């Protein structure tokens, strides 16, 4: 058996600021460069900072002043949803959505459209529908609303919250889902046809870290990309309590690596660790080049849908909270155009075993940082097609913390990975991928492949 191994260490780019200490997580730019609003601070690295807006509050001067000065992206909190825009079948009402859009544009902000199809806040008439009749109404809704706002929307949440919570990694049951599993791609195609300039996003919650639900979404996005279904971005709602998931950055990055933009779309954080958690979410986005912006779900604590949890950046009277200051400082620490951490080392190692011995080969591409790694394993069939495969890896100083697109026998030592249903068949010479995240060192995984 021939073993080839190639190792490339990429030296991280470090911006020299006087005598910056190596090992510090962030390097602050000179104070003279610091911006004094969230929008301006985010714009320094080409990103936006947005908020959800309620049309009913636009007459409140405290609210509208903060909106105008601090934010440069707006999401209608409820006014562009299905129940608001099509209260009766075929009868559309854009009055409140348009008010929000016009206010945003008047302030020099862009607008995120939210949301074309969602199983909640369906109008009553749609809730009572099913099957092909509902499918037709859904696609008409997407077409009509996207056409009304054509050319005015930065990005649409085409589909919101279609995946189930828990460990299934599958779709959530709803009358939308029961029209057929292809409803999501049909909606994206209809939205693209209606407004070719808008970025088209999938948006969900409890997908902020690496888990079964986010992996289900990841597999859908990868499938869409491979089949040319028009998808440009994924939104992560980030309704959080106390902490950001520790692997939020890795999760955003694995989606970005599929070739989509990512955004934090509905951020609010309850709990006593709020200021730190807000800074962590900010840094997770800043560390991912394709994370293009962050939106908080409301301005003042009493504007929040999470009544009594005080999860936002401004007090009821409109004063800046500690969380505001930590977000602003984190945004001002962003290093425009380069990596924000000085301690990350990315190593790509590819190890192949001899083609043909087990009917397939496995190669690994590794993204290693100080505490952990993401390994993507490519399974390639030999001269015969595969109807199933097993990959064996060695994790001598690592523990698997999450995985996708394969079943596994354990989480350390010798770990066997077998195909799941949808990637069992690999044509002769073709390939498929699965992946996992681990803590510790991912070097020496040494994958071998056998047909099963
Ligand atoms: C919420 C609004 O904030 C509330 O005013 C409304 O009563 C219910 O919806 N996920 C989403 C948002 O995508 O649209 C939800 O907004 C919050 C959860």
């Amino acid at each position: 058996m021939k073993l080839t191994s190639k190792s490339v260490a990429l030296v991280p780019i470090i911006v020299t600021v006087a005598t910056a200490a190596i090992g510090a997580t962030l390097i602050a730019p000179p104070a003279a460069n610091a911006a004094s609003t969230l929008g301006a601070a985010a714009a320094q690295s080409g990103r936006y900072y947005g908020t959800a807006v309620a049309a009913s509050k636009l007459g409140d001067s405290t609210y509208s002043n903060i909106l105008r000065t601090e934010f440069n992206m707006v999401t209608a909190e409820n006014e562009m949803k299905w129940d608001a825009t099509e209260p009766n079948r075929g009868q559309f009402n854009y009055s409140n959505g348009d008010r929000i859009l016009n206010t945003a544009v008047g302030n020099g902000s862009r607008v995120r459209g939210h949301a074309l199809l969602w199983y909640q806040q369906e109008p009553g008439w749609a809730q009572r529908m099913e099957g092909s009749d509902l499918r037709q109404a859904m696609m008409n809704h997407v077409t009509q609303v996207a056409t009304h706002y054509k050319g005015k929307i930065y990005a649409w949440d085409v589909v919101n919250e279609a995946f189930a919570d828990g460990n299934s990694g599958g779709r959530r049951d709803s009358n939308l889902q029961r029209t057929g599993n292809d409803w999501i791609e049909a909606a994206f195609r209809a939205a693209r046809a209606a407004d070719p300039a808008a970025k088209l996003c999938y948006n969900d919650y409890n997908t902020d870290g690496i888990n079964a639900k986010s992996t289900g979404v990841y597999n859908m996005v990868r499938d869409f990309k491979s089949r040319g279904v028009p998808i440009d971005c994924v939104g992560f709602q980030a309704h959080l309590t106390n902490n950001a998931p520790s692997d939020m950055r890795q999760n955003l990055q694995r989606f970005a690596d599929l070739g989509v933009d990512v955004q934090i779309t509905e951020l609010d954080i309850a709990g006593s660790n709020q200021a730190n958690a807000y800074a962590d979410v900010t840094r997770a986005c800043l560390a991912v080049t394709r994370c293009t912006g962050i939106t908080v779900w409301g301005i003042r604590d009493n504007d929040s849908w999470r009544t009594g949890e005080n999860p936002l950046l401004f007090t009821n009277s409109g004063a800046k909270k500690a969380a505001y200051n930590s977000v602003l400082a984190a945004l001002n620490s962003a290093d425009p155009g380069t990596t924000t951490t000085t301690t990350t080392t990315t190593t790509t190692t590819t190890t192949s075993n001899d083609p043909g011995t087990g009917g397939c080969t496995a190669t690994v591409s590794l993204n290693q940082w100080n505490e952990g790694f993401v390994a993507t394993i490519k399974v390639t069939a030999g001269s015969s097609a595969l109807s199933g495969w097993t990959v064996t890896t060695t994790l001598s100083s690592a523990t698997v913390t999450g995985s996708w697109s394969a079943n596994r026998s354990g989480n350390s030592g010798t770990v066997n990975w077998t195909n799941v249903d949808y990637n069992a068949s690999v044509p002769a010479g073709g390939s498929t991928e699965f992946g996992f995240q681990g803590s510790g060192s991912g070097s020496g995984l040494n994958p071998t492949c056998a047909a099963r």
Side-chain angles (χ1 to χ4, degrees):
M1 181 180 291
K2 197 179 75 181
L3 204 68
T4 56
S5 174
K6 188 162 63 107
S7 185
V8 187
L10 301 176
V11 179
I13 301 161
I14 299 171
V15 178
T16 311
V17 183
T19 49
I22 304 302
T25 321
L26 290 165
I27 301 171
N33 286 351
S36 60
T37 66
L38 300 170
Q44 294 173 121
S45 65
R47 296 179 172 85
Y48 64 81
Y49 210 93
T51 181
V53 167
S56 60
K57 292 183 176 154
L58 290 173
D60 174 333
S61 61
T62 305
Y63 183 90
S64 53
N65 282 335
I66 299 173
L67 173 62
R68 180 170 37 80
T69 51
E70 292 287 347
F71 298 99
N72 51 18
M73 183 69 76
V74 158
T75 305
E77 188 173 357
N78 290 298
E79 293 79 351
M80 294 188 189
K81 292 173 182 174
W82 197 353
D83 58 352
T85 50
E86 196 180 359
N88 298 298
R89 188 173 184 178
Q91 185 191 95
F92 292 84
N93 181 346
Y94 299 110
S95 55
N96 285 326
D98 287 357
R99 273 180 71 201
I100 290 178
L101 184 127
N102 291 334
T103 302
V105 170
N107 288 341
S109 284
R110 290 179 293 169
V111 175
R112 185 183 189 91
H114 175 77
L116 293 172
L117 292 177
W118 184 26
Y119 77 101
Q120 287 196 21
Q121 293 179 267
E122 289 180 26
W125 61 267
Q127 290 175 36
R128 294 186 289 271
M129 287 174 70
E130 58 185 12
S132 57
D133 206 16
L134 174 61
R135 173 67 76 94
Q136 206 272 327
M138 288 157 63
M139 296 310 140
N140 184 54
H141 180 75
V142 170
T143 301
Q144 296 297 325
V145 178
T147 300
H148 175 80
Y149 288 111
K150 183 178 177 179
K152 297 174 179 167
I153 298 290
Y154 161 71
W156 265 112
D157 291 329
V158 177
V159 169
N160 196 33
E161 300 183 358
F163 276 73
D165 290 315
N167 290 324
S168 77
R171 300 284 181 85
R172 166 194 299 284
D173 179 51
S174 70
N175 62 340
L176 310 178
Q177 179 63 30
R178 290 192 294 270
T179 69
N181 206 49
D182 64 341
W183 71 280
I184 298 183
E185 60 194 85
F188 275 79
R189 289 197 169 99
R192 178 68 99 226
D195 185 356
K199 290 185 185 294
L200 304 181
C201 309
Y202 176 80
N203 192 55
D204 215 326
Y205 69 93
N206 281 352
T207 50
D208 313 306
I210 295 181
N211 56 40
K213 185 175 179 182
S214 64
T215 299
V217 177
Y218 175 91
N219 288 333
M220 177 187 76
V221 174
R222 193 176 52 175
D223 170 53
F224 280 12
K225 280 295 196 185
S226 74
R227 292 189 294 112
V229 177
I231 184 166
D232 306 303
C233 35
V234 177
F236 299 84
Q237 294 184 11
H239 295 295
L240 302 171
T241 298
N242 274 322
N243 294 301
S246 58
D247 53 9
M248 189 167 194
R249 172 169 70 92
Q250 287 75 38
N251 192 43
L252 298 175
Q253 187 65 58
R254 71 172 174 153
F255 279 87
D257 289 345
L258 293 175
V260 288
D261 289 340
V262 295
Q263 294 103 17
I264 311 293
T265 53
E266 303 184 12
L267 180 63
D268 49 20
I269 310 179
S272 55
N273 191 43
Q274 182 177 70
N276 290 327
Y278 262 105
D280 287 343
V281 171
T282 310
R283 287 192 287 254
C285 177
L286 293 174
V288 175
T289 307
R290 293 198 74 155
C291 183
T292 59
I294 300 175
T295 294
V296 287
W297 205 241
I299 298 178
R300 300 162 302 191
D301 281 333
N302 55 352
D303 299 320
S304 172
W305 70 308
R306 296 171 72 176
T307 309
E309 292 192 89
N310 299 328
L312 295 174
L313 300 178
F314 293 86
T315 66
N316 295 355
S317 55
K320 295 168 182 171
K321 293 168 59 180
Y324 172 97
N325 292 323
S326 79
V327 169
L328 187 66
L331 291 171
N332 275 322
S333 301
D335 175 6
T338 59
T339 323
T340 52
T341 59
T342 60
T343 52
T344 300
T345 306
T346 302
T347 308
T348 304
T349 309
T350 304
T351 312
S352 323
N353 62 335
D354 195 21
T357 51
C360 52
T361 56
T363 58
V364 58
S365 158
L366 189 68
N367 185 358
Q368 176 81 49
W369 58 95
N370 277 3
E371 316 83 31
F373 61 91
V374 168
T376 306
I377 300 205
K378 185 172 185 179
V379 174
T380 304
S383 51
S384 309
L386 300 172
S387 55
W389 44 265
T390 305
V391 169
T392 302
T393 53
T394 310
L395 285 91
S396 43
S397 50
T399 306
V400 179
T401 53
S403 59
W404 51 95
S405 305
N407 302 306
R408 70 183 140 97
S409 60
N411 63 6
S412 63
T414 300
V415 178
N416 289 320
W417 307 83
T418 54
N419 60 274
V420 289
D421 287 353
Y422 61 81
N423 61 15
S425 305
V426 183
S431 57
T432 187
E433 285 183 348
F434 69 94
F436 56 97
Q437 189 193 19
S439 56
S441 168
S443 68
L445 288 172
N446 225 357
T448 58
C449 187
R452 60 193 283 261

